Amino acid sequence: MTREDVSLGELERDALTEIVNIGVSRAAANLRKMVGDQVSLSVPSIEVVTQRRAARLISEREISQLVAIRQDFTGAFSGRALLIFPETNSLELVRAVTGDELTAEEVLEMEHEALAETGNVILNSCLATMANMLRRSLTMTIPEVLRGDGALMFDIRDDMPSDGLVLFLYIDFAVRRRDIRGYIAVLMDLPALTILRELLTEFIDRVVGDDG
Amino acid sequence: MFAAAGASGIWDWDIVRDRLYVDEAFAELYGFDPAAIRAGLPVKSFFSAIHPDDRPRIRIAVAGILGGAELFSKEFRLRTADGSIIWVHGRGQCQLDSNDVPTRFTGLLVDVTERKRTEERLRIAQTAGGVGTFEYIDGFATASVSEQFCRLLGLHPANVLPVRTINSVVLGDDEAIIPDPEQAVSSAIEPLLGEFRIRRRDDDAERWIARRGEIVSDGGSGYRFVGVIYDVTAAKDAEQALRHLNETLEERVLQEIAVRQQTEDALRQAQKMEAVGQLTGGIAHDFNNLLTIITGNIDTVLRRITATDPRIRRSLENALKGAERAAALTQRLLAFSRQQPLAPKQINIARLIAGMSDLLNRTISEAITIEILSDPDLWRAEVDPHQLENAILNLAVNARDAMANGGRLTIHAANICFDSDNPPPAGIATGFYILVSVADTGMGMSAETLERVFEPFFTTKEVGKGTGLGLSMVYGFIKQTGGHVDIRSTLDAGTTISLYLPAALVAAGEEPAQLDDHVALGSGSETILVVEDDDDVRAYTVEMLRELGYRVVEAHDPTSALRLLERQDEPVQLMLTDVVMPIMSGRDLADSARQLQPGLRVLFTSGYPRDAIMQSGRLEDGVELLSKPFTYIMLSERVRSLIDRCPHS
């Protein structure tokens, strides 16, 4: 259920896509340095949806259990960022960032730490770049690793109204020669989305100028 | 020239020096002067030919690249030098220095106008036709799908979906929209032909989806499954409805046959009753003639007998009683076949049932309480009073027999009006009726008995106790009167029989006074013409009339009767004629006689008048009938009252 007052216009959506693109590119560059391999990214698709719908979007695509690295951010606009991928990808990602030098046991031991660190690098570079492009700054909390289904990722509980809105950035990222793919989701509440929209308008004015 | 050929151009944006370098093809697309491009252009030239509607979005995308984004991949419109609009796809990348700072933005511009049009046609075809496409490459975990494909399955629109996600909407375990490659390839004929029952993800609706497609081999070892899906729920539903209709066809035919069978049974029953009625009527005619002779002659002997032996008189009286009982039986037979001549009169039923009180008390044992009720202001009914009395008595006797251990018998007369709010029972029209109900608190009847209760000769009484004609007679009489009989019964709780009689709302004179039981004599100045083809009956009739003091002339057929009338010196006061005679009926005779002697009074006698003088079971107005067999007293009364009646009536 997209609400009229926070729905993004076409240009705002384009602008946000580009900003996310930049952020994700930066994140991919960092990931590339970590795994020493080519990391490819899809063009992000952006939607403002309810938390329930976001959970459904993920579970429609991923039937298996999920792993997520979660970080909250505060600043000009505040919210929560999630890096989500199928649980089956998790060890592969750990193996990739640790350079295939570890034994299976070591990989298991390292898994939690490696995931938290990888998530931190990707989410941090992504969000920091976005804030930078919008000429604002953000502070991020320590990453947290979650395992579960879409409902858990998006904090959907039956006893709570779950019509909180989510800026859902759906990016496929894949590491060449590795079976790794994932999503980035950014959750923002209504006031945060309103501020984001204002910042996007400023950005558009700057870039398009009198030509628009 | 290049644009028309679907050309492609190259650009190289030097971010550090802030200059744009393009090749000739790019310049051609943008309408730049080929000579001016060598030295480089101002970077804002990159946007100059872009359609104004697309320009802001491309500026944002370029801002993204300059800000550090990796990939530029956009489709947008260009306004070419000749003013036409073409679609191009720009794809570019940034080169970064060692500090990840962008230095150059290079890319390729391709004319995709044709492809855009094709895509548009495909999109419209899919949307308009409700067809979704998919393409699956052997070995991958995902399939490329169209928006319409996602919509058909109720999935969120996407270009790529995991195969497991697609197949998860199918209900039933073995089916898969994107099949297992080995299975699909091994079935040689139309491998992608299939129908699936699915549950749509967005609204949980159950739908039928059809799949068609081809397995394409590009020459290598791999395959591609290229196909479409579309919704066939409506067709499936129709097919199912048709199958259901087919499956229940036999049952519906049986039902129809049963209904028809019932109708046929009812018709057969009606035909049977009609046949029995005709037969009975025929027998009754002859039988009544015989009875007339028997009773008449015994009557005569009894009146004239001088024998002193009392046994002779007693024997004769017994013989007369037997003949009277036989006459009553023929009367009942005629009643149930609805062929008894009715003489309906406007009567006050309240008075009639009150008058039956004595009779009922005599007939019914003291263990049974009798209650007779009438609504005040009861309408008058047009009904044959003697027959109604008979009917009520019949019902009362049945009620008595149902209450061997005592109980309560209630006879109730009430006004009732049937209209659209209070619809009448089947078989009678709306209007005003008088309801006479006879209710007992006896043993009641079973449903099986209730069904057959009006059938003639159907009886639950012991052999010899009942004729089985009582209720049939009541039924026949009430139906003949234009009314209706309703029977309700509960085992061990009692029976209520309701007679609905048409009300006569237009008053017509007073009821005739009851006949007295004395002999009304005639005189020699009164001439009566007797016409009767049965010699014995005629002889007896003539003898009785002479005994009563009348002057009598007789004829054995209508022709002689007319001749007698022609040369009659003195006027004939009354013609007494049989109804059923060969050559000419009594009815026709009466018409001819009245031409010779207008105002001639006619009294018909008959044991079986049938249609000759009746219309729909009732005597025609002004027709007087004396039923055979008749007694001396009955004859004297009718003849006297007719002769005494005012000539005009």
Side-chain angles (χ1 to χ4, degrees), chain A residues 25 32 47 53 60-61 211, chain B residues 55 59 70 156 162 165:
Chain A
S25 297
R32 193 178 299 137
E47 282 183 83
R53 176 129 181 83
E60 239 178 39
R61 284 169 175 78
D211 198 35
Chain B
R55 211 175 290 158
R59 274 186 180 276
E70 288 206 331
H156 195 76
T165 303

Side-chain angles (χ1 to χ4, degrees), chain A residues 156-176:
Chain A
I156 298 190
R157 273 171 278 160
D158 287 341
D159 55 340
M160 273 176 58
S162 50
D163 56 350
L165 291 167
V166 182
L167 174 65
F168 189 71
L169 309 172
Y170 173 58
I171 304 165
D172 273 320
F173 67 86
V175 181
R176 201 165 123 192

